[in-house]
Amino acid sequence: MTLIGLLHHRKDPNTVIKSYAYAVVAQAEGADFIYFTPKGVNFDSQTIEGFEYKNGSWQEKTTPFPDVIYNTGSPEKLDISKDIINQLKETIPFTTVSLGNKWTINERLKKGKLFANYLIPAKVLKEWNDLSEFLGEYRKVVVKPMDGRKGQGIYFIKKMENDFIVNKDGKESLLTQKELKEFLGGLLPENTYIVQPYINSKTKSGLIFDFRLHAQKNGEGKWVITTIYPRIAKEGTIISNINNGGYTNYLEPFLTQEFNAEEAFNIKKTLEYFTLSLARHLDELQMLEHSEVIDEIGIDVGLDKNQKLWIYEVNWRPGCPPAFYLELDVVRNTIQYAIYLAHHHKKIKQDIRDFKKRDMEKRRVPIIAVTGSAGKTTTKSFISSILEKRLNIFESKDYWNRTDHTQIHADLINSNHEAVVLEYGMGFPGVITEHCRIIQPNISVITNVGMAHIGNFDGDIRKIAKAKSELIHGTKQNGILFINKDDENSKLLEIDQFKGKIISIGIKNHADYRAYNISYADSGMNFKVMLHNKECSFFIPIYGEHHVYNALNAIAVADYLGFSPSEIKSGLLFRKPPRRLTIYQLKHSITLIDDSVHSTPQGVIAAIDVLKNISPARKIAVLGRMIGLGERRTEQYQKIGKYLVKQDVDIVITYGRYARGIGLEAINAGLPSHNFKHFLDEKEMHDYLLNILQEKDSILVKGASIMNMYNTVQFINSTIGNKE
């Protein structure tokens, strides 16, 4: 049985009149019902302390978490408990989501374009000139609070020859321009107001009227019209809201009274079509911008003398119609939809993702995915930094590259994003396929194919290449693929059946985009690339030839997308990912190189190159163990040990299980045995480092993230201190 929770800010359900109706209808529909406030939520026990309606009264009860939550109560008063509510939303579907205030909804409809021509011109009032401009153009205007409810705080202002008539709640005042300025000056500090031209919707007898269009989703998740009815203002006022003395009527008798038979028929059909069309449109806009669906709206529209519809405002919490005994219809739709949502929220989530995918395809949004054994995050950051010079981009956060992260990204991407840049990590076969199922790229970059996670692939580099090739197969087959021409293992990638365009980058071999004249500079690397037969010089603020490859990928992607050399140059001055070859200049001219975020054989060798190239004196390598190498561990550790000696590293320190093999091979290759130390205890290693450090030393710290090598970076940094 479905358990529906009604979330409200008031503790006592007896003070919330509608709670009774919802409880009774829920029981009639075969659902359990619990009324609760945020204070009744217990995350430890996954229970709710609230009230159920039983035997004619509300009784306290503790239940498991509901299957669905009907979100009601005051948004402002519930906002103090937003942390609790947001945590509930992570696992429980909610009905009644916010569309924002009047201005927000208007701006959203403008952007959506489909209903933009039904919007009344509007402006946020900030000063007298804003009001004067509208009065000069329209003569009759309405001023209303942006967050107003129930017709409160609305003013009608009419420009006369020399003076102005101000009407509020049927009371008219005649003001001079000076008095109107003073009136506005006192009004604006109280609230945020908008100004609109007055739409003349009058009955034959001269009374102001509008229409309320009320739509809801039903028990099948489909939009239905709950009711459409006219609201007529009392004589002398422009506000048709019931709270201000207005009254309602039935639609058909009203239309018959005010229009001829053909007009009445056409207006009724137009209102019905308009209601459902606008509801669906707002639903789609909510999916695109917030990855959620709406389930109930109240639309207030006017009808001018030419029978053109104008949208006054859209309410996302319209409440029950004040007449016609329709309360039961509203409640029944709400409860039935809540039951539907409880059982179909996963399908709805997928429908939203599918809709967003179609929207991005329609808008031809570049969806760029980066994978590879090394360089993913830096490449992604370079690409994002360039593209954001011109586009509103979505970039995956830091090192978020698991499939569950991609699922989160799918919900965060919205219609404002003009490009998407993602990092796809891979530890096992099938993982990249899942990434592409969630968000399919149309531009893909494979930085290289290396030893990372090779222990999960039976030590076979061909299986790594096959798993990386899942990105090739998962990319839109009319898309673009960027590959590294210098990487030997990338020759194992399955590119033969790719129907899109393949673009290569490289340094040593001929490629579509090739870097040359590479040199170390102050705080980074200089290099040149030919773009459209013109030599362009570039600089990246990070050390290492391997990062030139990462920058080349970004240059190639940006150039393909039409970015200019100057935009690319500017974008390459990026915000470097944390703990990626971060250089600290410490006291006593000691240089600390922090590359502690991750460690692969390729990455260690690249970091040793940086150590060699920027060290003025003694070179110290502090290397933690690497993971995921399986049977290839000994071979790769030995390779690194030899490379340390080849690059003239003076002192080698290893940390963690098995890492000793690096130092032992370095000794075999010629490193003096007294220049190698291995530790299993972090504190002992730190004490040793403190004893051996000398002026002008350069220290590289690198290891698998599981080794927490950043602790060593922090220790050295805090102990030695920054250069003054």
Side-chain angles (χ1 to χ4, degrees), residues 579 581-588 590-596 622 686 689-690 693 699 701 709-724:
R579 293 154 56 196
L581 290 174
T582 301
I583 309 297
Y584 298 98
Q585 298 297 338
L586 307 180
K587 290 179 180 177
H588 313 299
I590 291 173
T591 301
L592 172 61
I593 306 170
D594 173 15
D595 203 29
S596 60
V622 182
H686 290 174
L689 273 169
L690 202 57
L693 284 176
I699 316 155
V701 179
M709 299 299 287
Y710 189 59
N711 292 344
T712 301
V713 173
Q714 290 178 306
F715 170 77
I716 297 171
N717 221 334
S718 60
T719 304
I720 305 300
N722 291 324
K723 183 178 180 180
E724 296 177 354

Side-chain angles (χ1 to χ4, degrees), residues 428-448:
F428 296 92
V431 173
I432 293 181
T433 296
E434 178 63 11
H435 279 297
C436 294
R437 185 196 65 78
I438 300 167
I439 302 178
Q440 185 180 28
N442 46 41
I443 297 175
S444 290
V445 178
I446 302 179
T447 60
N448 46 53

Side-chain angles (χ1 to χ4, degrees), residues 124-246:
V124 176
L125 271 179
K126 295 181 179 178
E127 57 182 5
W128 161 254
N129 287 341
D130 297 327
L131 179 59
S132 178
E133 175 190 329
F134 265 63
L135 283 168
E137 185 171 355
Y138 301 108
R139 301 194 65 83
K140 296 178 182 179
V141 302
V142 175
V143 172
K144 58 186 179 182
M146 186 180 289
D147 294 304
R149 287 176 60 83
K150 298 182 179 180
Q152 300 295 316
I154 297 179
Y155 298 87
F156 167 75
I157 303 175
K158 180 180 178 180
K159 184 177 182 181
M160 308 297 286
E161 187 172 342
N162 297 312
D163 299 312
F164 301 87
I165 294 175
V166 178
N167 184 315
K168 183 178 186 295
D169 300 334
K171 298 177 182 177
E172 287 191 354
S173 302
L174 186 66
L175 304 181
T176 65
Q177 180 171 306
K178 180 183 177 183
E179 290 171 331
L180 184 58
K181 277 187 178 181
E182 291 174 353
F183 167 76
L184 186 68
L187 190 67
L188 294 185
E190 298 175 2
N191 206 334
T192 301
Y193 286 83
I194 60 177
V195 58
Q196 295 177 320
Y198 171 69
I199 303 300
N200 192 14
S201 291
K202 287 186 177 181
T203 65
K204 290 176 179 178
S205 60
L207 298 178
I208 303 300
F209 77 93
D210 63 22
F211 295 104
R212 164 57 64 92
L213 320 176
H214 193 142
Q216 292 178 279
K217 282 184 179 169
N218 63 11
E220 297 177 354
K222 297 177 181 178
W223 283 103
V224 293
I225 297 171
T226 307
T227 184
I228 298 174
Y229 57 94
R231 304 184 303 181
I232 300 96
K234 70 179 182 180
E235 189 172 356
T237 72
I238 65 164
I239 309 302
S240 60
N241 197 284
I242 310 305
N243 294 279
N244 288 273

